[in-house]
């Protein structure tokens, strides 16, 4: 099937952020505003649903034209799901959310305390970290809010207040539906099962997914065609790996990626997870003496580009490493 620019924009937003909301924000571009308006047309919605149904055997949940697709690299752990549901409940029942006149600004500490009363196995700093990761950084449903002139609060560990996205209530319905009714994946086709793994991990190998590898080999050409309408991803299949390459990644902004590639090239055996960060710092010093590169960004580059894979308490190099070559030149990388 062919996709128009509106459908591609909405699908990409769902793949990148897992949410598509119809209320524009101050930072929303004119192009996205036009996409929001266009999405209200039924045939465009059907195209988006058809693409996902064909690709992974499911479609985004829709409540009031706000879409949620919680399938991808950021799949939540049980603890994160518990915090997510408790946070939804705490925010919905918050007095600051009551009534049309509400300014939708909530006290973060109050929410954290309420969530802690339900998720007693986690301490409050851990709960704050999960909320910050999910609602602030990942979904953008909470925006940190600091009282005017209160610069001291910016140095605190926790944000004092959160501004709540206007579509929060609508999206809450979808998230609760998703968490409460796990989707039946028993009727998925072979290609849909492979595509789900590629969407979540972007990497598949016979060692890591032995049950899926024969299905990938048998359906290789069709799988490539499944991703083609989006004109974004390219499925590359080698003898012992398959990787979903994203042409929207900005390889030119790649100091962390250069470090990741160089480190991966040096790995011939699995490395303990506890030793990865020291190794990252060692390689960073070799490539960029006197410069700072965030180890978390390097680790993300290693995992997202399938240069390493997790195996218990270890990270092990993957065959994908062979196709990359890193250079210390900050302005360029060579991809072989």
């Amino acid at each position: 099937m062919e996709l128009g620019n509106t459908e591609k924009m909405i699908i990409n937003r769902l793949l990148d952020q897992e949410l598509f909301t119809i209320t524009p924000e101050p930072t929303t571009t004119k192009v996205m505003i036009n996409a929001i308006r266009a999405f209200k047309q039924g045939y465009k919605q059907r195209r988006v649903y058809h693409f996902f149904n064909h690709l992974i055997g499911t479609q985004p949940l829709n409540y009031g034209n706000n879409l949620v697709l919680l399938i991808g690299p950021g799949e939540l752990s049980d603890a994160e799901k518990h915090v997510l549901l408790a946070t939804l409940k705490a925010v919905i029942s918050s007095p600051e959310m009551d009534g049309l006149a509400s300014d939708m600004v909530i006290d973060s500490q109050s929410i954290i305390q309420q969530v802690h009363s339900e998720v007693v196995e986690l301490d409050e700093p851990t709960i704050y970290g999960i909320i910050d990761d999910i609602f602030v950084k990942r979904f953008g449903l909470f925006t940190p809010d600091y009282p005017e002139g209160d610069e001291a609060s910016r140095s605190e560990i926790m944000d004092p207040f959160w501004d709540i996205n206007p579509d929060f209530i609508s999206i809450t319905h979808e998230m609760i539906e998703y968490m409460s009714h796990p989707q039946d994946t028993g009727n998925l086709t072979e290609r849909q099962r492979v595509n789900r793994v590629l969407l979540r991990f972007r990497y598949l190998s016979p060692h890591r997914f032995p049950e899926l590898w024969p299905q990938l080999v048998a359906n290789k050409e069709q799988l490539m065609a499944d991703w083609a309408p989006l004109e974004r991803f390219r499925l590359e299949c080698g003898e012992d790996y398959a990787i979903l390459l994203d042409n929207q990644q900005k390889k030119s902004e790649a100091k962390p990626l250069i470090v990741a590639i160089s480190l991966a090239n040096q790995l011939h055996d699995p490395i303990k997870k506890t030793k990865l960060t020291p190794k990252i710092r060692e390689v960073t010093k070799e490539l960029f003496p006197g410069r700072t590169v965030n180890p978390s960004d390097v680790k993300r580059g290693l995992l997202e580009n399938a240069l390493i894979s997790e195996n218990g308490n270890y990270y092990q190099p993957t065959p994908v490493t062979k196709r990359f070559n890193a250079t210390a030149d900050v302005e360029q990388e060579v991809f072989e």
Side-chain angles (χ1 to χ4, degrees):
M1 66 172 292
E2 292 187 5
L3 294 172
N5 289 334
T6 297
E7 293 95 331
K8 290 177 186 176
M9 182 170 292
I10 294 166
I11 291 168
N12 282 327
R13 176 64 66 93
L14 284 166
L15 292 177
D16 293 335
Q17 300 181 12
E18 301 169 282
L19 297 177
F20 175 79
T21 60
I22 61 171
T23 301
E25 300 179 32
T27 57
T28 304
T29 64
K30 288 184 179 180
V31 175
M32 182 54 70
I33 290 174
N34 290 335
I36 290 171
R37 291 171 180 164
F39 183 67
K40 296 178 182 179
Q41 303 173 37
Y43 78 94
K44 291 190 177 293
Q45 295 184 19
R46 289 192 292 273
R47 283 175 175 270
V48 172
Y49 298 155
H50 178 75
F51 176 81
F52 281 112
N53 275 327
H54 179 76
L55 186 74
I56 57 175
T58 192
Q59 64 185 42
L61 295 174
N62 185 331
Y63 191 90
N65 288 337
N66 293 299
L67 304 182
V68 174
L69 183 76
L70 300 182
I71 299 175
E75 184 172 13
L76 300 175
S77 67
D78 289 340
E80 289 170 333
K81 288 179 181 179
H82 196 180
V83 171
L84 185 147
L85 289 172
T87 303
L88 296 177
K89 178 181 176 182
V91 173
I92 289 174
S93 60
S94 172
E96 290 85 354
M97 297 287 287
D98 187 23
L100 296 176
S102 169
D103 60 3
M104 302 186 75
V105 178
I106 59 175
D107 173 31
S108 63
Q109 192 59 44
S110 173
I111 297 300
I112 292 167
Q113 289 172 353
Q114 291 181 62
V115 173
H116 187 217
S117 68
E118 291 197 25
V119 190
V120 294
E121 66 272 20
L122 301 178
D123 59 25
E124 290 190 5
T126 301
I127 289 171
Y128 167 78
I130 293 175
I131 294 175
D132 185 62
D133 284 341
I134 294 176
F135 289 95
V136 178
K137 297 174 181 174
R138 179 172 172 182
F139 294 143
L141 292 174
F142 295 177
T143 301
D145 187 325
Y146 302 92
E148 187 174 351
D150 187 6
E151 297 299 326
S153 64
R154 294 180 180 268
S155 63
E156 293 179 358
I157 295 176
M158 300 182 185
D159 303 320
F161 299 96
W162 288 313
D163 293 336
I164 308 302
N165 186 290
D167 292 314
F168 180 84
I169 300 298
S170 294
I171 292 168
T172 293
H173 287 82
E174 296 167 293
M175 288 190 172
I176 292 175
E177 177 72 15
Y178 175 83
M179 298 295 178
S180 304
H181 301 91
Q183 295 180 339
D184 181 13
T185 59
N187 295 321
L188 295 177
T189 67
E190 289 185 351
R191 282 157 53 191
Q192 288 167 342
R193 293 183 187 280
V194 172
N195 282 330
R196 279 175 170 251
V197 170
L198 291 170
L199 179 58
R200 182 177 174 193
F201 297 103
R202 304 294 167 93
Y203 168 71
L204 192 152
S205 72
H207 172 75
R208 193 177 183 190
F209 296 98
E211 73 288 355
L212 286 179
W213 186 253
Q215 299 174 21
L216 180 139
V217 173
N219 295 280
K220 182 167 59 175
E221 298 299 326
Q222 296 96 322
L223 288 163
M224 292 177 178
D226 288 342
W227 292 95
L230 198 54
E231 297 183 320
R232 170 179 174 180
F233 295 101
R234 178 170 61 87
L235 179 60
E236 178 179 296
C237 298
E239 293 184 1
D240 49 4
Y241 74 89
I243 183 171
L244 193 63
L245 299 170
D246 186 352
N247 63 22
Q248 286 190 3
Q249 289 180 333
K250 297 180 180 179
K251 297 187 178 76
S252 61
E253 301 173 0
K255 267 197 237 177
L257 182 56
I258 293 173
V259 175
I261 293 170
S262 180
L263 188 154
N265 284 330
Q266 295 180 30
L267 288 182
H268 303 291
D269 299 300
I271 183 174
K272 281 189 176 181
K273 289 183 175 180
T274 54
K275 294 186 177 180
L276 182 63
T277 297
K279 183 65 176 177
I280 288 172
R281 292 197 174 102
E282 175 187 320
V283 174
T284 300
K285 188 175 181 180
E286 293 172 359
L287 290 174
F288 306 107
R291 308 292 287 275
T292 300
V293 177
N294 190 329
S296 297
D297 293 338
V298 176
K299 180 181 175 181
R300 184 163 56 251
L302 285 163
L303 292 170
E304 289 182 354
N305 291 279
L307 297 169
I308 60 172
S309 62
E310 295 188 57
N311 185 9
N313 293 323
Y314 289 83
Y315 291 113
Q316 60 186 32
T318 71
V320 178
T321 305
K322 301 172 186 175
R323 71 182 297 279
F324 291 104
N325 179 44
T327 171
D329 186 345
V330 179
E331 299 300 326
Q332 66 177 4
E333 314 82 56
V334 178
F335 292 83
E336 296 183 327

